[in-house]
Amino acid sequence: MDSFDPDQVEVRRAHFIHGRFVEQGAGALAVERPSDGRAYADVPVAGTDLVDQAVQDATRAFKTSDWARCAPRERARILRRWADLVEADAPALARLEALGSTRPVKDAASWDVPFTAEGIRFFAEWADKIGGDVAPTRVDNLGLTIAEPYGVVGAIAPWNLPLVMASWKVAPALAAGNAVVLKPSELTPFSVLRLAELAVMAGMPKGIFNIVQGDGRTTGDALCRHPQVAKVTFTGSTRTGAAIMAACAESGTKPVTLELGGKSPQIVFADAPVRTVARAITLNAGQVCVAGSRLIVQRSVAERFVARLAAAFAELRAGHTWDSTASLSPIINRREMERIDGIVQRGVAAGAQIVAGGHAIPMGDAGAYYQPTILTRVDGAMDAVKNEIFGPVITVQTFDDEEEALALADHPDYGLAAGIHTADIGRAMRLARGIEAGTVWINRYGRSSDYVIPTGGYKRSGIGKDLGRQAYEANLHFKSVLVDFAA
């Protein structure tokens, strides 16, 4: 997709409730463009009253529309039409996505929007696939389990992949017959408004998909604690996930799906391709929860491999997200960039060595960019090795055998994803079994259009799954029915 002028893109500064844009709010938040640091719009904040309005409206829509009661194939038909509209609107959606996020316009057009549309289609196909079971009982009895939607699902999406992450939350919930109230990140609030507008255009009943804008402390907390929100699904940091889980427990013990932080290892043997490893930490400038931020490389090839990795990093060109020639994304804001740099500099002070990068990239404006960075001579006690950086920084540790590689790969807190790079399939499968992580990639890293495979973490990296059959089933609860028809 071609470059575009960001000043020519208009945004709706609103919530989306009952099929219309609502501009009222309890104050407003300025929204900045990561690419140049410019405050280009503000967004109204939904306080407790407006969150209540959105949830009440969703509850009425769930109870009075045919969304949950219609033939599942009809619900699937509307979802497929929605996906078609999303795909047809790709140029506009890609510009909206690139304007205020870290997603380059060429990537938003070629991957984010098509992936969002196809994910909606995937979950549409599940609408009539799971309905319950007949249980074995006495011959004059009948035992049933019946799958039913929860009602209103509260969804909270992150800023790093706004459209894709929102679709992971709302598509399975809607396909299962629920209504959804979504709170996008206050840093990237606008592209999902168009997503919701297209849903209504596709025939989804008004109120079934509502959006409330605002920060986590005000809007997110009110959404989690609302008594008519029956379930909450969230992607974001482990700390925020714990706060959401506590809020849900304190307000009625409602179920949660939490896809949280990671500190994912990439185990590299002598025969591994370097570009796969480089992309695992530079995609979206490392601002993905599954970023392969810990390189664990066989000692015999470590020096040569790190040199090749540094050369791959040097080929990337930082640029504004509306510049179709850029290949390195900005950091979401300068505050986050300074946090990333602080972790790097503390590592250096503790004895780490910078092999590549290690500094911000000056761009002549207030945008936030950070050099892809390699840190060697690290140990497990350093922040750079222990904690999620959420930036283009990779640490390097070396091993001699499989046992040592597994020991280094193990993390006391995180278990979201891992990569194994080797031509020996037996070795790869042994390591895949030994690593405690929700997703293990072998000779690749990152998702493609494999919606059927769920994603989710072990340990403090989350509870439950996004994508796959598991994500659809997580938006249903099951009722047991016992019938005695003996004479």
Side-chain angles (χ1 to χ4, degrees):
M1 185 171 176
D2 293 338
S3 302
F4 67 95
D5 181 352
D7 294 329
Q8 299 303 310
V9 179
E10 295 184 2
V11 297
R12 295 300 301 258
R13 310 174 188 200
H15 316 281
F16 191 81
I17 300 172
H18 198 71
R20 62 187 178 88
F21 294 105
V22 177
E23 297 180 354
Q24 71 191 72
L29 295 171
V31 185
E32 297 179 354
R33 302 192 303 218
S35 290
D36 61 7
R38 177 180 167 186
Y40 69 104
D42 53 25
V43 66
V45 175
T48 303
D49 290 346
L50 196 60
V51 170
D52 180 64
Q53 178 185 330
V55 174
Q56 294 285 358
D57 181 71
T59 301
R60 281 192 298 273
F62 175 76
K63 290 181 176 179
T64 61
S65 76
D66 288 335
W67 187 250
R69 297 193 297 270
C70 69
R73 297 297 297 174
E74 173 62 18
R75 193 161 60 242
R77 184 179 64 82
I78 293 171
L79 290 169
R80 288 195 299 270
R81 186 186 302 147
W82 182 26
D84 291 344
L85 292 176
V86 169
E87 206 163 57
D89 203 43
L93 278 169
R95 284 190 290 269
L96 274 173
E97 190 79 333
L99 176 68
S101 78
T102 59
R103 302 298 296 141
V105 64
K106 64 180 180 182
D107 294 342
S110 65
W111 191 82
D112 298 49
V113 177
F115 189 91
T116 296
E118 194 62 20
I120 293 169
R121 293 190 185 102
F122 171 82
F123 284 111
E125 295 166 7
W126 281 100
D128 65 345
K129 302 301 186 292
I130 296 176
D133 293 298
V134 176
T137 59
R138 287 168 47 97
V139 294
D140 55 359
N141 281 214
L142 182 63
L144 304 172
T145 59
I146 302 173
E148 297 180 335
Y150 278 101
V152 178
V153 173
I156 301 176
W159 52 259
N160 58 334
L161 294 145
L163 281 173
V164 170
M165 293 290 99
S167 71
W168 285 17
K169 299 302 178 185
V170 305
L174 293 169
N178 296 283
V180 175
V181 179
L182 168 70
K183 190 201 88 66
S185 170
E186 65 274 21
L187 302 179
T188 53
F190 298 121
S191 58
V192 293
L193 290 171
R194 180 59 176 165
L195 191 67
E197 188 178 26
L198 292 172
V200 174
M201 292 171 60
M204 191 175 295
K206 295 177 180 179
I208 288 295
F209 181 16
N210 290 338
I211 293 175
V212 288
Q213 306 282 11
D215 60 13
R217 186 169 298 179
T218 301
T219 312
D221 188 65
L223 182 61
C224 291
R225 294 180 184 276
H226 197 286
Q228 288 179 295
V229 169
K231 185 203 166 175
V232 171
T233 178
F234 166 77
T235 292
S237 73
T238 295
R239 183 174 63 179
T240 303
I244 285 172
M245 194 172 182
C248 289
E250 293 166 0
S251 58
T253 58
K254 60 195 71 172
V256 295
T257 296
L258 303 174
E259 203 262 6
L260 306 177
K263 191 64 181 171
S264 301
Q266 297 192 74
I267 301 177
V268 173
F269 288 85
D271 45 10
V274 68
R275 291 195 181 276
T276 301
V277 174
R279 182 168 170 78
I281 189 60
T282 58
L283 176 68
N284 207 31
Q287 297 165 113
V288 290
C289 54
V290 296
S293 59
R294 292 190 293 137
L295 174 59
I296 298 169
V297 59
Q298 198 165 21
R299 195 182 313 275
S300 61
V301 297
E303 185 175 351
R304 183 169 69 253
F305 190 90
V306 169
R308 291 164 58 207
L309 184 63
F313 282 1
E315 294 177 5
L316 299 173
R317 189 183 76 80
H320 297 153
T321 52
W322 46 82
D323 178 356
S324 63
T325 67
S327 54
L328 179 67
S329 294
I331 305 302
I332 187 65
N333 55 43
R334 295 192 70 83
R335 182 179 66 254
E336 283 298 298
M337 185 187 70
E338 290 165 1
R339 182 191 59 78
I340 292 166
D341 187 59
I343 293 172
V344 170
Q345 302 313 322
R346 287 196 298 275
V348 172
Q353 181 179 23
I354 295 174
V355 174
H359 298 285
I361 303 173
M363 295 291 289
D365 53 33
Y369 298 84
Y370 203 80
Q371 295 174 333
T373 297
I374 302 171
L375 292 178
T376 61
R377 299 182 184 175
V378 297
D379 62 59
M382 293 180 180
D383 280 353
V385 178
K386 288 193 306 181
N387 297 323
E388 187 174 35
I389 298 176
F390 226 65
V393 179
I394 193 167
T395 61
V396 181
Q397 296 170 284
T398 58
F399 67 90
D400 292 311
D401 54 35
E402 290 180 27
E403 184 178 0
E404 188 179 8
L406 275 176
L408 289 170
D410 186 55
H411 193 283
D413 296 321
Y414 294 120
L416 188 56
I420 300 167
H421 306 275
T422 177
D424 185 333
I425 192 63
R427 171 195 287 156
M429 294 308 298
R430 287 192 299 274
L431 289 167
R433 288 286 191 178
I435 291 173
E436 290 188 78
T439 297
V440 178
W441 289 295
I442 297 174
N443 295 330
R444 56 172 289 178
Y445 202 96
R447 300 200 69 89
S448 52
S449 298
D450 43 10
Y451 307 91
V452 72
I453 300 175
T455 183
Y458 285 14
K459 303 179 182 178
R460 295 182 65 199
S461 288
I463 297 172
K465 298 291 185 180
D466 285 328
L467 299 181
R469 181 192 76 246
Q470 293 85 346
Y472 179 80
E473 290 180 326
N475 286 282
L476 296 167
H477 51 180
F478 291 82
K479 179 182 291 181
S480 298
V481 178
L482 298 171
V483 183
D484 186 343
F485 52 87

